[in-house]
Amino acid sequence: PTPAPTPAPTPAPTPAPTPAPTPAPTPDLRSRAIRFSLRGDTGRELIRTTVNGVTSAVVRLTTSEMEFSYDIGHSLDQGDEFEFSITFMNDNGPRDVHFTAMYPSLERLSISLPGHYWTTWNCDDQDAAKQNIRCAWVREGTFAWKGTYKMKATLPQVPAAAATPVPTPAPTPAPTPAPTPEPTPAPTLAPAPEFTSRVIRFSLRGDEGTEKIRTTVNGVTSAAVTLTTSEMEFSYDIGDSLEKGEEFEFFI
């Protein structure tokens, strides 16, 4: 009889590759800063902002978008609400301010103009049909009336990382950026535009319109301001403690 053939050895199965670990999501550092831009219809609109209880110096807008950014600190979690305000100081008809939300988005902002106008326009009425059309204009970022516009922002939720088939080693945490020190409240400004000898004034412009600056006056450091290619006017009250002829320093 013919010997039975020796069966060929079965190849060892190729092991399935280990799935690559899912990288940990990059921390969303933007959630600690609010960003928006403002522009005026005439380029003569005067505004000031109040963030974290600190009111800025008076800023004269231009007809180009001016970007503002403020660090809101590390005490808030995603989903928390945060309030800030913008005061439009010198409406006179043709002067209007236009607000554009950058972070958080407009969908996460509630904008109002508390006071006489808001009440007269029935903006808080549950029946939208009874509300004046001006309520919607304000909520969309058109500031056409003198007053303080209040913004209530909800910080976006950061989605959780997807589950990984195999345990992923914890990534080395990136160093936490040093928090921006909270500026001391700015001094009370003299009424604009009738400046006195106690007020310093200057203007700045950038070659590209992307230059960022901060000012330090009376020991108070401002929030970061993005310059435009048009002249931007700044004014600061230096108080009544100096005598005429005395020297005074400030920094940009």
Side-chain angles (χ1 to χ4, degrees):
T2 304
T6 304
T10 304
T14 305
T18 305
T22 304
T26 304
D28 189 355
L29 298 180
R30 297 178 307 160
S31 62
R32 299 304 176 190
I34 56 172
R35 292 181 296 145
F36 57 88
S37 66
L38 298 172
R39 68 176 175 83
D41 276 350
T42 68
R44 296 189 298 274
E45 291 80 0
L46 299 177
I47 64 98
R48 57 188 171 197
T49 62
T50 300
V51 182
N52 285 334
V54 178
T55 299
S56 72
V58 175
V59 177
R60 179 173 176 170
L61 300 182
T62 69
T63 55
S64 302
E65 296 288 344
M66 293 172 55
E67 184 177 326
F68 297 78
S69 63
Y70 297 90
D71 188 342
I72 59 175
H74 297 280
S75 60
L76 296 176
D77 292 322
Q78 283 78 25
D80 283 355
E81 290 186 344
F82 177 78
E83 294 185 0
F84 62 101
S85 64
I86 299 171
T87 300
F88 179 21
M89 304 173 62
N90 65 336
D91 173 47
N92 74 338
R95 295 176 188 157
D96 288 335
V97 174
H98 300 279
F99 169 90
T100 301
M102 300 173 69
Y103 189 87
S105 63
L106 187 62
E107 291 74 19
R108 292 186 172 274
L109 281 176
S110 172
I111 307 177
S112 62
L113 177 60
H116 171 73
Y117 290 126
W118 208 246
T119 302
T120 304
W121 298 338
N122 298 318
C123 294
D124 291 325
D125 198 301
Q126 296 299 315
D127 185 354
K130 295 181 180 178
Q131 297 185 15
N132 190 293
I133 187 62
R134 294 174 178 84
C135 306
W137 294 347
V138 170
R139 292 178 180 126
E140 292 168 0
T142 297
F143 303 164
W145 302 270
K146 181 178 179 181
T148 297
Y149 294 78
K150 301 226 177 229
M151 283 73 169
K152 184 179 289 185
T154 303
L155 300 184
Q157 294 279 1
V158 176
T164 331
V166 275
T168 305
T172 305
T176 305
T180 304
E182 183 173 312
T184 308
T188 304
L189 300 168
E194 286 136 7
F195 301 105
T196 69
S197 61
R198 301 302 181 184
V199 174
I200 57 171
R201 289 185 294 154
F202 56 88
S203 66
L204 297 171
R205 66 175 176 84
D207 282 345
E208 298 179 353
T210 57
E211 294 83 355
K212 293 183 181 291
I213 63 97
R214 294 179 187 268
T215 61
T216 301
V217 181
N218 284 338
V220 178
T221 300
S222 72
V225 175
T226 301
L227 300 181
T228 68
T229 54
S230 302
E231 295 290 341
M232 291 171 53
E233 186 174 320
F234 296 77
S235 62
Y236 297 88
D237 189 340
I238 61 173
D240 298 314
S241 60
L242 296 176
E243 300 293 337
K244 291 182 179 178
E246 290 189 350
E247 293 184 342
F248 177 79
E249 292 183 344
F250 62 98
F251 306 92
I252 301 172

